[in-house]
Amino acid sequence: MPDTPMFQDTLSYSGQNFRDAMRPLTMATGSTFGARAGVRPGDPGLTTSLAGSTINVSPGTALVSGQGIYVGVLTSTWSGPLTAAHATLPRIDLVYLRIWDTDFDASGLRKTDVVYLAGTASSTPVAPTPAGTQIYMPLATISVPASGGGSPTVSLAVRPYTVAPGGILPLQSSAPSTPYVGQYYDDQTNLRRYNGSSWDTLQKVESVGWTTVTLAAGYTQGDTTTNGNLNGPIRYRKFTERGTDYMEWDGGGQRTSGTQVSNILNAALAASFRPAGRASFSIARNATSITGVANSASVVHSCKIDFNQDGTVSLVSATAGDTEVAWFSLRGLRYALA
């Protein structure tokens, strides 16, 4: 059946017409005529707080979904008393923004206001649900411990956000239902995109600082003028790429005295920086003889280094001869930790 076209001269419109016309201005829900309710991201309005035993909700506006989309406006701060705590059991209360529309709820009212609904005390409390035919949007829950069990706390997690079609929903505790291909949302840590069958995590551009190591006795850090073949000091950093943690190494060192040891570091790396399996590489090192080391004139340009599961870093081997090193480089080494 044809309906009244919107925004034309000489025609009259009902409230329902205007509420229906608001639907395309906010994000869809995946159902016909569905429209997402919520506050705008970054809008400080309609924030619930506690001052002692007084509940306060700041002025603000939101889109409330019911019979179409209502624009709910609270023009001044709403305040109300918190129900006293139960003697022995905790409870969870609900604060919500309600649209009174007598055409649908038979309330005799047409207004926007805040409602506080105390929950039922229980050993496993849950937030209450408004009864009857109500058009509303949750603003906050208040966790009220048993008497003497501490102060009540406010959570805004139930308050939904809404954005224009194609916008990114922020601070979502779960993925949007019935998503469309190309939909984005913020899962409170990552930006996610729906590819048609699953949600992809978009790679963040990370800026990860370096940690310069302390070397074991007999080794000195490289620099850019004399030591370590001018590779700079040995340092490392851990970063995440495509969901996997990696270690990256840089710089070089110089063995100044003694024999090679099982760990060129003065202490093992912390557990979170250790690989699940040994990571082994051929690395550049000196190609000249070492004073006092027999046969060192025949050394080649590389040797083996192991990054071990116990957090040690070992040059191979630790015996004198052709495998001894003066300088060595770790620049550009990278390996997955898992």
Side-chain angles (χ1 to χ4, degrees), residues 108-128:
L109 301 172
R110 299 186 187 277
K111 67 174 185 175
T112 302
D113 206 351
V114 172
V115 177
Y116 163 61
L117 182 59
T120 301
S122 168
S123 58
T124 55
V126 295

Side-chain angles (χ1 to χ4, degrees), residues 45-275:
L46 298 178
T47 298
T48 304
S49 60
L50 274 175
S53 61
T54 300
I55 307 166
N56 296 304
V57 178
S58 64
T61 185
L63 298 182
V64 183
S65 181
Q67 301 295 325
I69 287 291
Y70 293 83
V71 180
V73 180
L74 189 68
T75 57
S76 60
T77 298
W78 178 94
S79 297
L82 181 72
T83 299
H86 188 272
T88 59
L89 296 172
R91 71 168 196 272
I92 299 175
D93 301 344
L94 178 68
V95 180
Y96 61 95
L97 187 72
R98 180 176 175 182
I99 304 292
W100 274 264
D101 185 344
T102 192
D103 293 337
F104 301 101
D105 59 21
S107 63
L109 301 172
R110 299 186 187 277
K111 67 174 185 175
T112 302
D113 206 351
V114 172
V115 177
Y116 163 61
L117 182 59
T120 301
S122 168
S123 58
T124 55
V126 295
T129 299
T133 303
Q134 296 191 39
I135 300 167
Y136 72 95
M137 187 192 79
L139 295 177
T141 55
I142 303 176
S143 296
V144 183
S147 181
S151 301
T153 57
V154 175
S155 171
L156 304 181
V158 296
R159 187 175 67 163
Y161 289 96
T162 192
V163 292
I168 298 173
L169 288 170
L171 303 173
Q172 300 301 294
S173 59
S174 60
S177 59
T178 59
Y180 57 86
V181 176
Q183 183 171 356
Y184 290 86
Y185 82 97
D186 164 28
D187 70 2
Q188 304 185 49
T189 302
N190 301 295
L191 182 61
R192 310 292 299 276
R193 178 188 182 275
Y194 189 65
N195 62 24
S197 59
S198 62
W199 290 94
D200 295 325
T201 299
L202 274 66
Q203 182 66 38
K204 289 182 281 191
V205 177
E206 294 184 294
S207 178
V208 182
W210 294 91
T211 297
T212 301
V213 304
T214 300
L215 296 176
Y219 291 85
T220 58
Q221 286 282 24
D223 55 39
T224 57
T225 56
T226 56
N227 290 333
N229 200 35
L230 318 186
N231 279 246
I234 294 176
R235 56 186 186 167
Y236 67 84
R237 63 182 176 182
K238 185 173 80 168
F239 63 94
T240 303
E241 183 176 300
R242 298 182 182 89
T244 299
D245 289 334
Y246 286 85
M247 280 285 281
E248 183 176 21
W249 291 80
D250 187 43
Q254 196 88 9
R255 185 173 66 83
T256 56
S257 63
T259 59
Q260 292 170 202
V261 294
S262 58
N263 186 15
I264 66 171
L265 309 179
N266 78 322
L269 295 169
S272 61
F273 296 95
R274 300 176 185 180

Side-chain angles (χ1 to χ4, degrees), residues 2-79:
D3 205 346
T4 304
M6 294 301 297
F7 310 118
Q8 296 193 24
D9 292 338
T10 74
L11 298 178
S12 60
Y13 301 99
S14 67
Q16 185 69 64
N17 290 145
F18 284 110
R19 292 193 301 274
D20 288 339
M22 290 289 291
R23 296 180 196 266
L25 302 184
T26 185
M27 179 169 280
T29 61
S31 61
T32 303
F33 299 124
R36 184 180 175 90
V39 296
R40 297 174 300 172
D43 188 338
L46 298 178
T47 298
T48 304
S49 60
L50 274 175
S53 61
T54 300
I55 307 166
N56 296 304
V57 178
S58 64
T61 185
L63 298 182
V64 183
S65 181
Q67 301 295 325
I69 287 291
Y70 293 83
V71 180
V73 180
L74 189 68
T75 57
S76 60
T77 298
W78 178 94
S79 297

